[in-house]
């Protein structure tokens, strides 16, 4: 088992760790969570917020859409089914390999590319909206750079909607039971959660930002924040996924879903 630590990482270290982890975990992740996520559904979070009913993106028919950190591109496949013109990227080539397998299984092809969120291979003003369900943004060290890149490739007024672990969760243990309802870390400790191999090389990295940090990073990159959804755990939903589950999910938020749009050019 890789040893968890809280240490500062550079963007390059974070990228290498994310690529290595998701390349190694792609098949296992699908086996564990594929039934819940579906092959062509748009599930925002473990609470089960489904874009089919939530409509956080509004009508996507005819719009150019970028999925950020797409994994196996389940969300993009749903968007294609709604008539969107979709492009998706992920840092992991193994995740994209799984995506192609799901394309074959569903008959819905998604255009994907291997890329890093801090250096997008797309032209300025290309997309009407960008979306991400726990993809890329929690795993980059320089999220302000990622937001600047997203603003660059979005058209003026373009929509950005993304979900991440709720910052409050970072102060608590990754335990979905009542034992997890306690503060064990400082909310203000911004050091990322990192797993290292026996040689001390980071092989997984996830970055913590407070609510205020997310606000400042978004607005500094030129976005105007429209909404923050903190979904409550729905009755009858008994999924346990890491630190998410019905016991904690009914009393504290586990996910933050941000909605913003590209503001006017200064």
């Amino acid at each position: 088992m890789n040893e968890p630590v809280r240490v500062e990482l550079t963007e390059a270290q974070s990228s290498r760790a994310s690529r290595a982890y998701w390349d190694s975990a792609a098949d296992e992740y699908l086996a564990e969570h594929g039934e819940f996520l579906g092959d062509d559904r748009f599930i925002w979070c473990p609470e089960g917020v489904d874009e089919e009913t939530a409509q956080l993106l509004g009508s996507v028919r005819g719009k150019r859409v970028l999925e950020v950190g797409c994994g196996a591109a389940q969300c993009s496949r749903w968007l294609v089914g709604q008539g969107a013109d979709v492009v998706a990227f992920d840092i992991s080539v193994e995740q994209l390999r799984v995506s192609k397998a799901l394309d074959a299984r569903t008959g819905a092809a998604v255009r994907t590319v291997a890329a890093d969120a801090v250096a997008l291979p797309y032209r300025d003003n290309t997309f009407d909206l960008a979306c991400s369900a726990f993809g890329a943004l929690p795993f980059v060290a320089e999220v302000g750079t990622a937001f600047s890149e997203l603003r660059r490739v979005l058209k003026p007024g373009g929509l950005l909607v993304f979900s991440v672990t709720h910052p409050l969760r970072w102060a608590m243990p990754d335990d979905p039971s009542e034992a997890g309802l306690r503060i064990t870390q400082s909310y203000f400790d911004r050091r990322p959660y990192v797993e290292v191999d026996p040689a001390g090389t980071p092989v997984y990295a996830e970055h913590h930002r407070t609510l205020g940090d997310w606000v400042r990073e978004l607005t500094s990159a030129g976005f105007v924040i429209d909404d923050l959804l903190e979904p409550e755990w729905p009755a009858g939903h008994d999924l346990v996924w890491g630190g998410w589950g019905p016991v904690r999910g009914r009393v504290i938020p586990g996910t933050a879903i941000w909605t913003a749009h590209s503001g006017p050019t200064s």
Side-chain angles (χ1 to χ4, degrees):
M1 181 177 178
N2 296 317
E3 185 69 23
V5 292
R6 298 289 293 272
V7 294
E8 297 292 351
L9 292 185
T10 65
E11 184 59 54
Q13 288 173 313
S14 292
S15 292
R16 285 195 295 269
S18 290
R19 187 177 296 108
Y21 176 80
W22 291 108
D23 277 350
S24 68
D27 290 323
E28 180 182 354
Y29 186 84
L30 184 69
E32 185 175 358
H33 303 297
E35 183 178 356
F36 175 69
L37 295 174
D39 292 345
D40 53 4
R41 299 174 66 200
F42 197 133
I43 304 299
W44 282 104
C45 53
E47 289 85 353
V49 177
D50 191 332
E51 180 60 18
E52 182 78 44
T53 54
Q55 292 290 293
L56 302 181
L57 302 177
S59 175
V60 298
R61 182 167 298 279
K63 292 184 178 179
R64 295 211 69 189
V65 181
L66 175 66
E67 185 181 2
V68 177
C70 66
Q74 290 95 333
C75 298
S76 285
R77 224 164 272 110
W78 182 85
L79 290 164
V80 168
Q82 305 305 304
D85 178 13
V86 184
V87 177
F89 77 87
D90 199 273
I91 199 169
S92 165
V93 294
E94 284 300 306
Q95 285 277 33
L96 299 182
R97 176 189 57 78
V98 173
S99 175
K100 293 305 179 188
L102 294 185
D103 283 352
R105 192 156 81 190
T106 61
V110 176
R111 288 174 294 163
T112 58
V113 65
D116 195 316
V118 298
L120 299 180
Y122 307 109
R123 295 177 180 174
D124 296 1
N125 305 320
T126 296
F127 299 99
D128 298 298
L129 65 93
C131 57
S132 181
F134 281 83
L137 298 174
F139 306 104
V140 297
E142 299 172 8
V143 76
T145 301
F147 283 147
S148 294
E149 280 288 272
L150 286 169
R151 184 169 188 256
R152 177 182 66 77
V153 303
L154 281 169
K155 296 175 182 178
L159 183 67
L160 170 63
V161 185
F162 65 94
S163 59
V164 294
T165 301
H166 197 287
L168 180 60
R169 277 277 314 281
W170 280 80
M172 312 178 82
D174 202 27
D175 182 341
S177 71
E178 290 183 356
L181 290 170
R182 54 197 176 94
I183 303 299
T184 57
Q185 298 275 349
S186 170
Y187 174 76
F188 303 104
D189 183 355
R190 272 101 165 164
R191 292 176 301 168
Y193 171 89
V194 180
E195 293 180 6
V196 297
D197 65 16
T201 302
V203 292
Y204 179 88
E206 188 171 350
H207 292 263
H208 167 52
R209 297 168 180 99
T210 67
L211 286 172
D213 293 338
W214 285 108
V215 168
R216 285 183 287 275
E217 295 285 9
L218 279 164
T219 56
S220 294
F223 283 98
V224 177
I225 297 171
D226 300 310
D227 195 13
L228 170 60
L229 175 63
E230 301 165 292
E232 296 183 47
W233 200 268
H237 181 42
D238 59 1
L239 173 79
V240 173
W241 182 333
W244 286 265
V247 173
R248 292 208 307 182
R250 293 189 184 119
V251 293
I252 63 165
T255 298
I257 308 177
W258 297 88
T259 300
H261 68 271
S262 178
T265 303
S266 56

